[in-house]
Amino acid sequence: MSDRVMNDYKLLRLQDAHSCINQRVSIIAIVLEFGLPKTTRGTDQCCTLRLIDETHSQTGMAVNIFTENAESIPRVAAAGDIIHLSNVMLRMHFKEVNAVFYKNSSSFALYRGNDDDFVPYQVYSRVFLRDEDKMRINMLRNWFVNFQIPADSSDFPMLREIKEGQFNLAGKILHCGEALKDNWFVYVWDGTDTPPNCITSMLEDEINHPLPLQLESLPLPRDVLCTLPTVGSILRIAFELPIEKNHLNVLKSGRWAQFINIRLEVYAGLWYGVFTSHSKLRHTPDEDRLIIEHQRLYDDRILLKSGNMPIGSIPQSIDSLPESLCITKVNHDRVRHLTLMDVLTHSEVTAKFKCVVRVVAATPYQAEKFCTPAGKYMMRLTLEDPTARIHAFVVDEDGETLFDGYPGTANVKRKLNRLLGVTECDDNVVVNDRPRNPPWVSVCIKSYYVSKTDVWGSRNFRIFDTKIVDNPK
């Protein structure tokens, strides 16, 4: 390196950036948040980082990184990691100072925030480390130990509080799975339940266009499914832009993260998030107060007798049940309610369960078709709770129990409509074009297999020992 370049070296603290507009500088700072790689209008890849240091810790400063390929984009490994940027240009953009990293003239090195050495785990081009740079890295490491990432709980609603639109979320990354080629889902959980949605599909569409059981084209493999929590909703987050598998290396399973400015949407009654070109990710340490509070709320929940029940269905006192749970009566009052995820991940193929669910679809939906030509009940219900959806059959004597024998077509239809949340006018005329909001009901479910040669692959579910009560109190 020439003497002139050595003498021109300018290591900057973030608070001083405003005085160096249109100058090339070096910055050593902590990476607060980052976006995933995206293609520019040309062939380059770019992403945006937001940096903080002891002089600018609230909003930080944005850095736009341009490289020739996605592999060269900074891949931040953990909260508190430090980036050393050399020869970046400071610009003013919408009254905010930011830095621009050019692929042909800038360089960077990433260092772990919790180490005591100066060996970078990722480098772009060559970065020269001076004594003042080492002192700066050490200072930032010491500063971050007692620093809390600037986030208020009101800025990060829990899954139980979400609505459609733009949101920040803090959650634990459980899994990354490929639904289709280069079409990935990130599975995120915080221990709470997403709000139930109205069902807008028509009952008659269920035969040809059934409600999906999951957003993925195929269910998760059982070995993956059994690693997931059985209490609390698991939000699928998709990506608005195509993404390659190696881009997801920054999404560490088992780690908590903050998702900034993702879009929440509903499809077929199922919540999902969209990581857009404007979304960012923050690695979050387990010691962060927001994460500690989320974990505490979950730990308190599972200690409750009602902890497995959907939050919206939990009784206000142990002596009373919500009116909707009185729509059905089950013959196992002393058995604890489980979730549908408990049902799906149970260690034995055949078992019996009691769950609080919503009945979101039925096939067939016409009461006159509920029975076979031999006069036996045969129908399929789609059940959901905050953790999963399943199909459960109502067959033979279980149908007789559910509908209290064979009370006639009109009475069977009326009872099923109550389960499905179908709106009826005063004269018992069904209103088919209104969204349905099925009530929470208690049901007993048994699992069984159809083929002895493939017991898990042929596993099915049916409802039993459950009765629709005519006049719930």
Side-chain angles (χ1 to χ4, degrees), residues 15-32:
Q15 71 173 4
D16 300 323
H18 66 279
S19 63
C20 299
I21 304 300
N22 296 325
Q23 296 184 34
R24 289 186 177 269
V25 300
S26 293
I27 297 171
I28 298 178
I30 288 172
V31 182
L32 174 65

Side-chain angles (χ1 to χ4, degrees), residues 363-364 369-372 376-380 393-396:
T363 303
K369 296 183 179 180
F370 290 170
C371 292
T372 66
K376 297 294 185 181
Y377 282 104
M378 172 60 76
M379 61 188 305
R380 188 189 76 185
F393 294 93
V394 179
V395 182
D396 298 342

Side-chain angles (χ1 to χ4, degrees), residues 182-463:
D182 294 334
N183 185 359
W184 295 80
F185 280 117
V186 181
Y187 297 73
V188 178
W189 168 94
D190 71 3
T192 66
D193 298 337
T194 52
N197 290 303
C198 289
I199 306 299
T200 58
S201 63
M202 305 291 283
L203 288 170
E204 55 265 33
D205 292 339
E206 183 64 19
I207 294 179
N208 295 320
H209 303 286
L211 283 176
L213 297 184
Q214 66 277 322
L215 291 165
E216 308 91 320
S217 55
L218 294 172
L220 286 171
R222 179 171 172 80
D223 60 337
V224 174
L225 195 70
C226 290
T227 66
L228 304 180
T230 60
V231 176
S233 298
I234 298 173
L235 181 74
R236 275 72 165 166
I237 298 180
F239 296 90
E240 185 176 59
L241 301 176
I243 191 165
E244 298 176 10
K245 183 177 181 179
N246 60 359
H247 296 176
L248 300 175
N249 292 336
V250 296
L251 299 171
K252 307 291 187 181
S253 295
R255 296 271 191 91
W256 287 85
Q258 295 174 354
F259 294 84
I260 313 299
N261 200 31
I262 63 169
R263 189 171 69 242
L264 274 298
E265 297 184 5
V266 176
Y267 172 73
L270 298 171
W271 285 101
Y272 70 101
V274 180
F275 198 98
T276 73
S277 58
H278 302 292
S279 302
K280 300 291 183 292
L281 185 73
R282 293 180 186 174
H283 289 313
T284 311
D286 292 344
E287 299 78 18
D288 183 86
R289 58 176 173 265
L290 189 65
I291 304 310
I292 291 173
E293 177 65 10
H294 281 22
Q295 190 67 54
R296 183 191 66 80
L297 290 173
Y298 173 72
D299 292 341
D300 290 346
R301 176 184 181 180
I302 61 174
L303 291 176
L304 298 174
K305 184 178 180 181
S306 58
N308 285 9
M309 295 172 65
I311 290 176
S313 73
I314 295 176
Q316 298 301 310
S317 71
I318 60 174
D319 299 319
S320 65
L321 284 174
E323 183 177 343
S324 64
L325 288 186
C326 298
I327 289 177
T328 58
K329 179 177 176 56
V330 297
N331 293 333
H332 304 274
D333 292 337
R334 296 185 179 181
V335 177
R336 187 186 185 196
H337 285 97
L338 299 176
T339 69
L340 292 182
M341 186 64 89
D342 284 316
V343 174
L344 290 173
T345 60
H346 191 70
S347 59
E348 298 178 359
V349 177
T350 59
K352 296 179 179 180
F353 314 88
K354 187 173 74 169
C355 303
V356 173
V357 301
R358 301 199 309 160
V359 182
V360 293
T363 303
Y365 75 98
Q366 307 98 325
E368 61 272 15
K369 296 183 179 180
F370 290 170
C371 292
T372 66
K376 297 294 185 181
Y377 282 104
M378 172 60 76
M379 61 188 305
R380 188 189 76 185
L381 303 181
T382 304
L383 313 181
E384 77 167 21
D385 72 2
T387 68
R389 274 184 184 170
I390 67 169
H391 292 314
F393 294 93
V394 179
V395 182
D396 298 342
E397 67 274 9
D398 296 327
E400 295 178 17
T401 302
L402 184 66
F403 295 107
D404 196 15
Y406 296 88
T409 299
N411 285 326
V412 170
K413 183 176 182 179
R414 174 179 55 81
K415 291 184 177 188
L416 183 63
N417 283 343
R418 287 172 58 205
L419 292 185
L420 291 167
V422 173
T423 301
E424 293 185 354
C425 298
D426 293 337
D427 54 0
N428 294 326
V429 175
V430 173
V431 182
N432 286 323
D433 59 350
R434 291 185 185 176
R436 294 181 288 110
N437 186 18
W440 294 110
V441 295
S442 183
V443 298
C444 291
I445 301 169
K446 66 171 68 172
S447 59
Y448 62 99
Y449 57 87
V450 177
S451 171
K452 290 184 178 180
T453 60
D454 184 16
V455 292
W456 284 109
S458 66
R459 190 181 189 220
N460 282 333
F461 307 100
R462 60 190 288 180
I463 291 175

Side-chain angles (χ1 to χ4, degrees), residues 156-187:
F156 289 85
M158 303 187 79
L159 290 180
R160 66 187 181 191
E161 302 166 312
I162 62 174
K163 301 176 183 178
E164 289 186 82
Q166 300 297 128
F167 266 84
N168 299 332
L169 289 174
K172 190 174 189 179
I173 299 172
L174 303 175
H175 177 65
C176 292
E178 191 173 24
L180 297 171
K181 180 174 174 56
D182 294 334
N183 185 359
W184 295 80
F185 280 117
V186 181
Y187 297 73

Side-chain angles (χ1 to χ4, degrees), residues 43-57:
T43 59
D44 288 347
Q45 295 286 312
C46 70
C47 78
T48 300
L49 310 181
R50 186 160 291 275
L51 311 182
I52 57 172
D53 67 9
E54 79 285 6
T55 71
H56 200 2
S57 62

